[in-house]
């Protein structure tokens, strides 16, 4: 009556997955628990499907109580398997558990009803019955298909409605394939009920999940049983909002150098020894390896940090050895309490690794305590890094322009370009927060180049010279200024947009001119390409007029602190400096002009251009264009 040729290989295959899954360490996560439950239910269902089919065929050889038992278990497992597939998808989409009782009743109701119908079928014959010809389908047998279609439909709805909850697009496509396979399986079961095909399609769906999400090796460090960064992020993502952990970070001191000295093979062996020790000694904790010699011990809230720390210090006082390894290592430590929630696992990971690196630089064997305030600052910095990375990657760095006004005519003759980025809520972030980070991690090159190209595009599209704007100043940070290919890269962008080199002035600060020879060589290389230079923030550094004589600047911008100081307490120094600049053929811009009287005073001592909130704060490029149109009208 039934063909078992598809079911038996499915049972063998799912058994192999179970054996392999149990052989590897797994995190105590809801997703892992549901998947394990799915494997067990699938194994039981395939076995019972074969057993019940055989018993139904040979029902006259067995007591009817046993025949009914196998059928009730089969249908109950069939329904349980369907809802478990749905619950796993809901867990991946971060929808499980469901907070609304109404939602829970709506989602669990069909499963409970169908299960009750199956359990009562020996007496009612609703799902199946036995007549003169043996096994027969009951009047409500189609609920089997109806329930499967209900949960598959809900799964597709959730998959599209909450697709943003899956971080990687690739994983979303795997979940879509998972549901499509189940859909095909239920259709073929309806068309060919005697072939037991649905089990095969369910196993295929399990394999998709295993390969895309649940392979334990995804969450283990290469060639070891240490939980890796991905495991840590998965753990935090699921527990976020209910964190209650005491955490001790252990970093092998000076790890890169030590690895170079001992070699990769010995250090990998040492890492395994350390992990084995930590896992064996602190069995109620989860041990993560965050790369570059960093271990994280995540324990319960009542973990005694001082006791744990002393045990680890005592162990590191001796060598790490086996047949292949005999290494003496030292370590540095951080400790932190995690309670409630964090912004995200990515941000927490960045904050922890940054703190562990800083502790390693201090080389102090006492644990650096990461207080809530310190963690908050680290989280802010990590968040800012993420916003910066996203803005650069998505080409969403914005350019604001602050007008430069002619001191005599009062008209806008230029502007300074300023980079701006936003957070996820669309709020502008302070440049003082993200520019230092960009300079520290090297992103300033990409940031600056993106701003430069957008300015070139803006100049080309808006015929600024016809609107009275003669140039736009673009800042170069000290990090950018050190690039040996800066002249070639920026010149290529200018030529790409076909604009006049004189339309862009490059601003550098006094920090750029620590090395006189390099500064002169770089400026002259840029000048040969056609660029002009402005010295920004004069008066905040250490330069002097004799040094400036060596550099072909066209303009010197007085820092707002110098302007404000002269405005409050006039003296003879600043007027004489401006006179010297004029004799060197530099024009002079006064920054930080906040009121009309300040502008008048700076004009009287020889300043040529003004910049400040009195005229305009930095505004988006489209508003700057509107401002020019308004003034032109």
């Amino acid at each position: 009556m039934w063909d078992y040729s598809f079911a038996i290989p499915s049972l063998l295959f799912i058994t192999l997955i179970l054996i392999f899954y149990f052989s590897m360490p797994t995190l105590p996560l809801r997703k892992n628990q549901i998947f394990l439950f799915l494997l067990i239910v699938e194994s039981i269902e395939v076995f019972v499907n074969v057993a019940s089919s055989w018993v139904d065929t040979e029902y006259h050889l067995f007591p009817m109580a046993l025949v009914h038992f196998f059928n009730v278990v089969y249908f109950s497992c069939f329904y349980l398997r369907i809802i478990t597939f749905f619950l796993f998808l809901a867990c991946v989409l971060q929808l499980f558990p469901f907070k609304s009782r109404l939602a829970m009743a709506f989602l669990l109701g069909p499963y409970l009803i169908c299960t009750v119908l199956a359990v009562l079928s020996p007496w009612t014959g609703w799902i199946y019955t036995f007549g003169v010809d043996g096994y027969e389908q009951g009047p409500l047998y189609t609920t089997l298909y109806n329930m499967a279609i209900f949960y598959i439909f809900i799964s597709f709805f959730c998959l599209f409605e909450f697709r943003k909850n899956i971080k990687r697009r690739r994983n979303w496509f795997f979940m879509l394939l998972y549901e499509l396979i189940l859909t095909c399986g239920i259709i073929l079961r309806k068309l060919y009920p005697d072939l037991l095909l649905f089990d095969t399609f369910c196993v295929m769906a399990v394999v998709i999940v295993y390969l895309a999400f649940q392979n334990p090796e995804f969450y283990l460090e290469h060639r070891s049983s240490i939980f890796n960064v991905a495991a840590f992020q998965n753990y935090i993502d699921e527990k976020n909002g209910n964190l209650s952990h005491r955490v001790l970070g252990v970093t092998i001191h000076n790890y890169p150098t030590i690895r170079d000295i001992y070699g990769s093979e010995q250090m990998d062996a040492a890492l395994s020894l350390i992990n084995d020790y930590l896992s064996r000694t602190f069995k109620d904790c989860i041990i993560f390896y965050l790369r570059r010699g960093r271990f994280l011990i995540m324990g319960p809230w009542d973990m005694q940090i001082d006791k744990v720390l002393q045990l680890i210090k005592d162990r590191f006082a001796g060598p790490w050895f086996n047949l292949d390894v005999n290494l003496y290592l030292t370590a540095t430590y951080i400790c932190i309490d995690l309670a409630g929630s964090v912004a995200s696992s990515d941000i927490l990971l960045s904050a922890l690794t940054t703190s562990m690196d800083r502790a390693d630089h201090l080389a102090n064997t006492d644990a650096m305590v990461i207080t809530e305030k310190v963690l908050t600052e680290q989280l802010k910095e990590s968040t800012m890094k993420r916003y910066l990375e996203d803005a650069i990657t998505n080409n969403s760095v914005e350019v604001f322009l602050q007008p430069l006004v002619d001191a005599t005519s009062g008209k806008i003759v230029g502007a300074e370009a300023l980079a701006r980025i936003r957070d996820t809520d669309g709020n502008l972030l302070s440049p003082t927060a993200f520019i230092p980070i960009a300079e520290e991690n090297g992103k300033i090159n990409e940031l600056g180049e993106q701003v430069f190209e957008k300015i070139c595009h803006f100049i080309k599209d808006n015929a600024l010279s016809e609107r009275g704007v003669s140039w736009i100043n673009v800042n170069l940070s000290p990090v950018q200024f050190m690039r040996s290919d800066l002249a070639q890269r920026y010149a290529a962008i200018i030529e790409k947009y076909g604009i006049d080199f004189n339309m862009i002035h490059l601003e550098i600060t006094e920090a750029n001119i620590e090395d006189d020879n390099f500064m002169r060589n770089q400026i002259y290389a840029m000048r040969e390409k056609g660029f002009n230079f402005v010295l920004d923030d004069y008066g905040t550094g250490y330069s002097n007029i004799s040094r400036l004589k060596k550099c072909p600047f066209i303009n010197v911008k007085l820092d707002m602190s110098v302007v404000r100081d002269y405005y409050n307490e006039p003296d003879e120094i600043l007027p004489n400096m401006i006179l010297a600049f004029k004799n060197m053929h530099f024009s002079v811009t006064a920054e930080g002009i906040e009121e009309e009287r300040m502008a008048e005073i700076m004009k009287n001592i020889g300043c040529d251009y003004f910049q400040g909130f009195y005229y305009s704060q930095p505004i988006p490029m489209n508003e700057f264009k509107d401002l020019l149109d308004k003034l032109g009208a």
Side-chain angles (χ1 to χ4, degrees):
M1 186 176 181
W2 282 283
D3 185 348
Y4 310 134
S5 58
F6 292 98
I8 294 176
S10 298
L11 180 61
L12 295 175
F13 201 82
I14 203 72
T15 302
L16 287 175
I17 294 178
L18 261 174
I19 293 171
F20 189 77
Y21 196 74
F22 272 114
S23 70
M24 306 289 284
T26 56
L27 285 170
L29 299 177
R30 185 183 298 112
K31 181 160 65 76
N32 294 347
Q33 292 164 352
I34 292 177
F35 180 72
L36 179 59
F37 184 70
L38 177 60
L39 290 178
I40 294 172
V41 170
E42 179 66 23
S43 301
I44 295 172
E45 202 282 337
V46 176
F47 172 77
V48 175
N49 191 7
V50 173
S52 63
S53 298
W54 178 61
V55 168
D56 288 346
T57 303
E58 307 292 340
Y59 72 96
H60 55 279
L61 299 178
F62 302 96
M64 284 307 297
L66 182 63
V67 174
H68 283 304
F69 170 78
F70 274 105
N71 278 279
V72 168
V73 172
Y74 164 71
F75 283 106
S76 299
C77 286
F78 184 94
Y79 300 139
L80 184 59
R81 174 174 62 179
I82 292 295
I83 195 171
T84 305
F85 273 119
F86 167 73
L87 291 177
F88 181 81
L89 179 135
C91 191
V92 170
L93 292 172
Q94 302 173 36
L95 304 177
F96 188 78
F98 304 98
K99 297 180 181 179
S100 167
R101 290 185 178 180
L102 183 61
M104 285 291 290
F106 174 74
L107 294 171
L108 294 179
Y111 160 71
L112 295 174
I113 292 171
C114 289
T115 302
V116 170
L117 292 176
V119 171
L120 295 178
S121 283
W123 298 276
T124 64
W126 285 335
I127 302 297
Y128 73 91
T129 187
F130 282 86
V132 293
D133 296 324
Y135 177 87
E136 296 177 2
Q137 295 180 0
L140 299 180
Y141 183 85
T142 55
T143 56
L144 178 144
Y145 300 109
N146 295 337
M147 177 194 162
I149 292 170
F150 170 80
Y151 283 110
I152 288 173
F153 175 80
I154 294 295
S155 296
F156 276 116
F157 172 79
C158 293
L159 194 58
F160 284 93
E161 181 68 18
F162 303 103
R163 59 186 178 276
K164 292 183 179 179
N165 291 1
I166 299 182
K167 294 180 181 179
R168 299 178 63 186
R169 183 184 297 270
R170 169 180 172 272
N171 287 346
W172 183 87
F173 281 114
F174 276 123
M175 292 309 296
L176 179 63
L177 179 61
Y178 161 86
E179 289 300 328
L180 289 172
I181 287 173
L182 292 177
T183 303
C184 292
I186 201 68
I187 292 172
L188 289 174
R189 190 190 191 283
K190 175 67 174 175
L191 295 175
Y192 307 103
D194 297 340
L195 295 181
L196 306 185
L197 276 171
F198 189 53
D199 291 333
T200 300
F201 279 83
C202 288
V203 172
M204 289 170 61
V206 168
V207 170
I208 290 293
V209 169
Y210 183 83
L211 295 177
F213 296 94
Q214 294 301 125
N215 187 341
E217 290 190 342
F218 291 165
Y219 306 103
L220 299 175
E221 194 64 21
H222 183 53
R223 290 176 299 183
S224 73
S225 59
I226 311 174
F227 287 124
N228 60 17
V229 169
F232 172 79
Q233 291 177 303
N234 271 258
Y235 186 85
I236 296 299
D237 285 339
E238 181 168 304
K239 300 295 183 181
N240 207 0
N242 297 293
L243 293 170
S244 181
H245 301 282
R246 305 202 77 183
V247 180
L248 181 66
V250 181
T251 304
I252 298 175
H253 180 51
N254 207 11
Y255 177 78
T257 302
I258 295 296
R259 192 173 183 88
D260 287 341
I261 293 172
Y262 287 110
S264 299
E265 187 173 342
Q266 287 205 56
M267 281 307 302
D268 287 342
L271 293 176
S272 293
L273 289 173
I274 295 171
N275 177 69
D276 290 344
Y277 166 75
L278 295 176
S279 300
R280 186 175 61 254
T281 308
F282 310 109
K283 295 181 180 179
D284 58 344
C285 301
I286 304 175
I287 313 300
F288 297 98
Y289 182 66
L290 306 186
R291 294 190 291 260
R292 295 178 62 83
R294 308 185 199 98
F295 291 86
L296 207 64
I297 304 169
M298 186 167 287
W301 193 252
D302 58 355
M303 181 173 75
Q304 299 179 27
I305 287 286
D306 292 341
K307 182 178 179 181
V308 172
L309 179 60
Q310 191 57 53
L311 286 172
I312 296 174
K313 283 184 177 181
D314 292 343
R315 180 61 189 85
F316 268 92
W320 298 91
F321 65 93
N322 60 18
L323 295 178
D324 301 316
V325 177
N326 189 0
L327 280 71
Y328 284 86
L329 304 171
T330 56
T332 56
Y333 310 92
I334 68 165
C335 60
I336 183 173
D337 292 339
L338 292 178
S341 62
V342 294
S344 75
S345 61
D346 290 338
I347 293 172
L348 176 62
L349 175 64
S350 179
L352 289 173
T353 54
T354 300
S355 297
M356 293 171 83
D357 289 344
R358 290 178 179 174
D360 191 44
H361 289 147
L362 295 176
N364 192 334
T365 57
D366 294 329
M368 176 189 289
V369 178
I370 309 302
T371 63
E372 185 175 350
K373 180 180 178 181
V374 172
L375 181 60
T376 300
E377 290 301 315
Q378 290 291 332
L379 291 175
K380 285 181 180 179
E381 183 178 329
S382 299
T383 304
M384 193 65 66
K385 287 180 181 178
R386 186 171 182 179
Y387 292 148
L388 178 65
E389 182 72 32
D390 289 345
I392 292 172
T393 301
N394 300 324
N395 195 32
S396 60
V397 176
E398 297 181 36
V399 180
F400 278 43
L401 296 172
Q402 186 170 29
L404 289 164
V405 175
D406 184 272
T408 303
S409 66
K411 294 183 178 181
I412 296 175
V413 293
E416 179 181 356
L418 302 163
R420 296 289 187 268
I421 64 173
R422 297 181 186 269
D423 62 18
T424 51
D425 296 324
N427 301 312
L428 285 171
L429 302 173
S430 171
T432 58
F434 68 82
I435 293 295
I437 293 174
E439 290 182 326
E440 181 180 347
N441 64 15
K443 292 295 181 182
I444 193 66
N445 290 307
E446 298 169 73
L447 177 71
E449 197 162 304
Q450 197 172 128
V451 169
F452 186 82
E453 182 153 2
K454 289 183 177 183
I455 284 296
C456 292
H457 193 220
F458 180 72
I459 292 172
K460 177 185 178 182
D461 287 351
N462 293 281
L464 295 185
S465 58
E466 297 177 11
R467 300 167 183 256
V469 176
S470 301
W471 71 87
I472 291 181
N473 290 359
V474 178
N475 289 282
L476 286 179
S477 78
V479 176
Q480 287 176 277
F481 195 68
M482 294 296 292
R483 291 192 63 154
S484 59
D485 62 345
L486 184 64
Q488 291 80 9
R489 294 183 69 88
Y490 274 31
I493 296 173
I494 288 274
E495 292 164 0
K496 172 183 174 181
Y497 289 94
I499 63 175
D500 190 339
F501 278 82
N502 290 320
M503 285 297 298
I504 292 184
H505 295 171
L506 299 175
E507 288 192 13
I508 62 173
T509 64
E510 293 182 284
N512 291 88
I513 57 178
E514 292 183 10
D515 185 334
D516 286 348
N517 291 329
F518 181 83
M519 176 202 63
R520 284 199 302 273
N521 293 337
Q522 185 74 305
I523 288 180
Y524 278 111
M526 300 289 286
R527 288 279 292 175
E528 286 180 5
K529 293 290 185 180
F531 289 103
N532 291 309
F533 277 84
V534 172
L535 180 63
D536 191 20
D537 296 339
Y538 183 84
T540 60
Y542 48 82
S543 63
N544 53 57
I545 292 178
S546 63
R547 293 183 69 192
L548 297 184
K549 287 173 62 178
K550 303 174 184 178
C551 299
F553 293 108
I554 62 170
N555 179 264
V556 174
K557 297 179 73 174
L558 303 176
D559 186 73
M560 64 177 65
S561 62
V562 175
V563 173
R564 191 177 296 114
D565 182 64
Y566 180 80
Y567 175 68
N568 293 327
E569 296 182 27
D571 54 41
E572 296 300 319
I573 298 175
L574 187 58
N576 287 327
M577 287 175 57
I578 292 174
L579 180 61
F581 291 149
K582 293 299 187 70
N583 290 332
M584 296 161 59
H585 306 293
F586 298 160
S587 61
V588 179
T589 300
E591 294 183 304
I593 301 299
E594 297 173 349
E595 57 183 73
E596 183 178 4
R597 176 169 168 73
M598 184 180 289
E600 188 66 28
I601 289 175
M602 299 311 294
K603 176 183 176 182
N604 291 338
I605 62 172
C607 290
D608 302 288
Y609 306 106
F610 298 143
Q611 181 179 351
F613 282 10
Y614 175 65
Y615 298 100
S616 174
Q617 61 182 350
I619 54 178
M621 290 192 293
N622 61 324
E623 292 184 21
F624 180 78
K625 183 176 65 174
D626 294 341
L627 178 62
L628 293 178
D629 292 339
K630 181 180 178 181
L631 294 176

